Amino acid sequence: MRVPRYTEDQARETAPPEGKNDRMSPKPLIAVLVLAFASLACSAVPVVNGPGVVNNASYTNSPGIARGSIFAVFGEDLGPQQLQVVNSFPLQPRLAGTSVRVTVAGQSVDALILYTSASQVGAVLPSGTPLGQGTLTVSYEGQVSGSVPVNIVDQAPGLFTVNQQGTGPAAVTDETFALISRERPAYPGQTVILWATGLGPVAGDEAKAPLPGQIAAVSVTIGGRPAAIGYAGRSGCCAGLDQIHVIVPQGPTGCDVPVVLTAGGVPSNTATIAIAPPGASCDQTQPPSAAQITLNPSVRHQTIRAWEATAYAGQDHAAFPAFRDTVLDRAATELGITRLRVEIRSGAENSQDYWSQFQSGQISNELWRCLRYSTVNDNSDPFSINWAGFQFSELDDKIEKIVLPLKQRLAARGEKLEINLNYVAFVRQMTATGCPSGLTYVHDDSPEEYAEFVLATYLHLQQKYGWVPDYWEVVLEPDNTPFWRGPEIGRAIVAAAARLRAQGFTPRFIAPSTTDMGHGWIYFDAMVSQVPAAVREMVELSYHRYGGVLLSNLETIAARAKQYGIGAAMLEHIGSGYQDLHQDLKVGNNVAWQQYTLASPAADNGGAYYVVDVSRPSQPVVRMGQRTPFLRQYFRYIRPGAVRIEASTNNAAFDPVAFINSDGKYVVVINASSAGTASINGLPPGRYGITYATAQETNGALADVVVGPGQALLASVPATGVVTVFGK
């Protein structure tokens, strides 16, 4: 990169803002930033290639070239073999035979040339250049290059760095213009000067003389913490060169503390600064070296299907109408739920609508618990549905209060809410103390009766709502029942699949959904050995985390899912947080995951994404459960269709998972067991957001980072928790 090299006399003659006369001369900086160029063979016509047209400090062109900034053009035969540098004002649009022209919307503007050589030209883009998409050409000795696209913007800040590549230590000085370095670190509370370009346009003719003064509101973070700013504007020495006076915040120390400048909402490249207490070296305060996280997109794992919740949000509470919209809005937009588990009890096959009787107060809660899983066969023919023998009022209530409103919210975002209909048969409740005698259950030994139940539910949903489930979860927690085991589940799948296909449906089954993780693969193996046809109908091998939570069980589940070409899914555990989710994604290769319900007006027990305070029923307060902010770091950014890629680390304290979303954007989530810094290698060029959740700050964010070709992203990890880096 290159900035103009003015004479010492010219620097003294410039007029800085009042009160800043002793702060504006960057002579030591200029010495750092001047390049030496080797001679290159010339061709007749200039060619713009390589990096093309970039910010002179950051070496990137995202989001564009800022008006009033210094930019660089790379190529061949752009100018003379020997470097030529301007050394005085006024600046001219031509230097040593080289000129650069930018055209936007039919209006052409000549850049002010600062230096030129055969392979690189540096220039100031006049502040009056029109905004928008345009083209750029380079002329040398009457020969004109082909046009290349450029985007002209108001702000696109870049920090100059010592290596003159936009990475590593920033070109930062103290107020005497002495360079901050590892040997001479800054200290907390000290005012330092960042040197940059791209803060924005200025008023006046920048060709005649420097135009110092505040330009626009900017922000700076150092080590992820905001730094107080005293001055942010043009330098008093040079056109296009910006300087930002900042106070080093308390807290961050080390030899490579990240620093980011943001102007107009646009972040700069990430550079670093050495910080230590007065009299100390940065090595004495240096935390462990940055964890090196390396992405390998050629190694791919599972594809994410859904982030799931059970369709309960406190709809049985009198205050529900007052908090429903808040819960559903936040679940859709803030958390990122994309699939609902909608439970249907086995007792829906019954001649009596016990749920409606319970709702109306005709029967007690105790009696309802006895009756809700008992079945009365609709008739003796499992191939003939007697609709009077099925009661869907409880299912319809969930659909109308939870499913349809959430579907509408996701549709408004251009997304689809998937429905996983889950059959539940906790029949041991039928024999609890005080329950009536003679209660029956008919789906245990007749796959065809079960298949009739499934088909009746599909037909009901199709006829009443115009859609059918995306998935059917065969039975919830079969190891909590006396008879549902692997072979029984397999036979039920085969019978139900045949019945649904005969009616034109395309079923997708989830099983076995055991409470015990170890039972998951044991039940699955029993299906494989005794009912192999069932596995061909499955899309997810599901399990819960209430028992058998061993790494060996999780690895076995992942291996079985891979072997049979299906996904693995952890679909319930009250109390699970991000540590479980991270392990299920990385070791279990999960394609879907659920903690439990959408919301609850009860105490936070780790079973609801949102907890509702209904102490004042007319003014309920919805807040995230204590685990939810950490889960959000995954759900919100890793979207359905995302493919997990290999991500390795040299430091187990910074454990990554990485995904490529369906739009091609990368997401890296770091499970951090300590504070520190992570260097992420292998990200494609672009702008990245960084958010985090810790015990102290559950909704934190760092400044965006622009990554250039071949550059690593340096992310500051403030404390134990979850950090998410996501492409924008």
Side-chain angles (χ1 to χ4, degrees):
M1 73 186 66
R2 168 110 14 218
V3 297
R5 184 173 62 187
Y6 301 100
T7 66
E8 184 174 340
D9 288 342
Q10 181 67 48
R12 283 198 296 266
E13 290 168 5
T14 58
E18 183 177 353
K20 299 189 182 289
N21 292 297
D22 58 341
R23 300 185 178 184
M24 306 299 290
S25 175
K27 297 185 294 296
L29 167 73
I30 301 304
V32 170
L33 298 174
V34 172
L35 282 176
F37 286 86
S39 296
L40 296 175
C42 291
S43 58
V45 179
V47 177
V48 178
N49 58 24
V53 184
V54 296
N55 179 292
N56 203 285
S58 67
Y59 266 33
T60 66
N61 58 12
S62 177
I65 304 302
R67 300 195 296 173
S69 70
I70 305 172
F71 66 97
V73 183
F74 289 86
E76 301 172 17
D77 307 314
L78 304 177
Q81 297 272 332
Q82 186 172 356
L83 174 68
Q84 300 294 313
V85 181
V86 70
N87 57 20
S88 66
F89 281 101
L91 303 179
Q92 302 293 333
R94 182 180 174 90
L95 176 66
T98 299
S99 62
V100 176
R101 176 165 291 182
V102 174
T103 302
V104 179
Q107 182 177 344
S108 295
V109 176
D110 291 321
L112 304 172
I113 307 300
L114 301 178
Y115 62 88
T116 181
S117 71
S119 59
Q120 183 179 347
V121 176
V124 174
L125 184 66
S127 292
T129 305
L131 295 169
Q133 295 287 340
T135 59
L136 177 145
T137 58
V138 177
S139 299
Y140 177 57
E141 297 295 4
Q143 299 292 326
V144 183
S145 73
S147 62
V148 295
V150 290
N151 184 36
I152 308 305
V153 298
D154 265 333
Q155 284 95 21
L159 287 170
F160 286 104
T161 59
V162 173
N163 71 2
Q164 304 173 73
Q165 297 176 15
T167 61
V172 55
T173 66
D174 64 15
E175 292 184 288
T176 70
F177 305 112
L179 189 68
I180 298 296
S181 65
R182 285 173 174 258
E183 294 72 29
R184 195 174 183 278
Y187 56 85
Q190 181 184 12
T191 296
V192 297
I193 305 171
L194 302 174
W195 298 92
T197 189
L199 291 189
V202 294
D205 186 354
E206 49 221 318
K208 292 182 178 179
L211 297 171
Q214 293 274 359
I215 295 177
V218 303
S219 63
V220 172
T221 59
I222 297 177
R225 301 191 181 187
I229 297 174
Y231 172 79
R234 285 289 189 274
S235 168
C237 84
C238 316
L241 182 64
D242 300 321
Q243 64 184 83
I244 303 93
H245 296 240
V246 300
I247 299 175
V248 178
Q250 299 292 327
T253 58
C255 293
D256 299 293
V257 179
V259 56
V260 177
L261 164 67
T262 300
V266 180
S268 70
N269 51 313
T270 299
T272 63
I273 181 174
I275 304 174
S281 71
C282 64
D283 290 323
Q284 292 174 314
T285 62
Q286 180 79 344
S289 60
Q292 296 297 315
I293 293 172
T294 303
L295 310 184
N296 183 358
S298 66
V299 179
R300 302 202 168 200
H301 302 286
Q302 75 270 30
T303 299
I304 293 299
R305 187 170 289 146
W307 303 121
E308 187 175 276
T310 293
Y312 176 76
Q315 59 263 37
D316 53 357
H317 195 280
F320 178 68
F323 63 77
R324 183 194 72 170
D325 287 347
T326 301
V327 167
L328 298 182
D329 287 343
R330 293 181 66 176
T333 61
E334 176 184 54
L335 182 55
I337 292 296
T338 63
R339 189 166 88 182
L340 283 181
R341 181 175 98 191
V342 183
E343 297 178 356
I344 182 168
R345 303 182 203 271
S346 53
E349 184 171 359
N350 203 300
S351 57
Q352 299 294 313
D353 186 353
Y354 289 123
W355 182 83
S356 293
Q357 292 179 26
F358 168 57
Q359 294 298 307
S360 65
Q362 296 178 54
I363 62 175
S364 67
N365 181 61
E366 290 74 16
L367 182 55
W368 160 239
R369 287 179 58 83
C370 295
L371 300 173
R372 57 189 179 177
Y373 299 111
S374 66
T375 57
V376 175
N377 201 345
D378 66 316
N379 58 37
S380 59
D381 183 359
F383 293 91
S384 175
I385 297 173
N386 172 16
W387 289 106
F390 289 88
Q391 312 298 329
F392 294 112
S393 56
E394 184 184 19
L395 176 64
D396 292 348
D397 185 74
K398 295 173 185 176
I399 290 172
E400 290 163 15
K401 290 181 177 177
I402 302 294
V403 176
L404 296 181
L406 193 54
K407 265 183 172 287
Q408 293 168 357
R409 284 162 169 81
L410 265 69
R413 294 169 53 83
E415 298 178 324
K416 178 187 176 183
L417 177 68
E418 291 193 312
I419 304 303
N420 170 25
L421 208 61
N422 187 191
Y423 174 85
V424 186
F426 291 150
V427 294
R428 286 195 174 99
Q429 292 185 16
M430 296 174 0
T431 58
T433 301
C435 289
S437 60
L439 298 178
T440 58
Y441 176 71
V442 299
H443 300 151
D444 55 338
D445 58 357
S446 176
E448 296 302 341
E449 288 289 355
Y450 177 88
E452 179 191 46
F453 182 96
V454 176
L455 177 60
T457 306
Y458 268 67
L459 291 172
H460 169 76
L461 293 173
Q462 184 186 56
Q463 293 163 8
K464 186 163 186 176
Y465 301 107
W467 49 263
V468 296
D470 300 281
Y471 309 89
W472 183 275
E473 193 169 353
V474 181
V475 58
L476 182 66
E477 297 183 343
D479 43 355
N480 262 345
T481 74
F483 33 72
W484 282 99
R485 299 295 181 264
E488 289 74 21
I489 294 170
R491 286 188 281 271
I493 290 174
V494 171
R499 195 76 62 88
L500 292 171
R501 283 204 173 85
Q503 292 292 322
F505 300 120
T506 304
R508 296 191 291 177
F509 291 95
I510 297 172
S513 309
T514 53
T515 61
D516 187 294
M517 182 188 290
H519 291 169
W521 64 267
I522 292 172
Y523 279 37
F524 181 80
D525 282 359
M527 275 192 282
V528 170
S529 64
Q530 298 190 40
V531 196
V535 180
R536 294 193 291 271
E537 306 292 346
M538 290 179 58
V539 294
E540 290 176 21
L541 194 171
S542 54
Y543 61 95
H544 296 177
R545 276 179 162 265
Y546 294 109
V549 181
L550 300 172
L551 191 62
S552 59
N553 283 333
L554 190 56
E555 291 171 338
T556 302
I557 287 171
R560 293 292 190 276
K562 182 177 181 180
Q563 179 182 354
Y564 289 94
I566 61 178
M570 200 297 288
L571 296 183
E572 184 186 316
H573 182 229
I574 297 172
S576 268
Y578 74 93
Q579 301 284 13
D580 290 346
L581 171 57
H582 197 92
Q583 186 182 63
D584 286 327
L585 289 172
K586 191 165 187 175
V587 179
N589 284 344
N590 274 203
V591 301
W593 198 89
Q594 176 189 173
Q595 184 196 66
Y596 192 28
T597 65
L598 274 174
S600 173
D604 185 0
N605 66 349
Y609 294 117
Y610 292 93
V611 178
V612 186
D613 181 352
V614 291
S615 58
R616 299 176 64 187
S618 62
Q619 296 179 307
V621 177
V622 178
R623 59 178 176 83
M624 283 187 169
Q626 61 179 345
R627 298 162 181 81
T628 306
F630 301 89
L631 300 177
R632 175 181 56 184
Q633 295 296 126
Y634 299 79
F635 289 12
R636 184 172 182 177
Y637 302 103
I638 304 166
R639 304 307 292 158
V643 178
R644 186 167 75 86
I645 62 174
E646 190 68 17
S648 60
T649 180
N650 68 347
N651 186 338
F654 300 91
D655 183 18
V657 288
F659 291 82
I660 304 176
N661 277 320
S662 58
D663 62 1
K665 302 295 186 181
Y666 280 52
V667 178
V668 181
V669 184
I670 304 170
N671 176 359
S673 58
S674 70
T677 304
S679 178
I680 303 174
N681 305 277
L683 289 170
R687 183 191 299 180
Y688 291 84
I690 305 174
T691 62
Y692 59 89
T694 67
Q696 296 77 27
E697 193 172 1
T698 59
N699 191 23
L702 302 179
D704 286 1
V705 175
V706 175
V707 174
Q711 291 182 344
L713 184 150
L714 202 62
S716 177
V717 180
T720 298
V722 183
V723 176
T724 303
V725 176
F726 57 98
K728 288 192 165 182

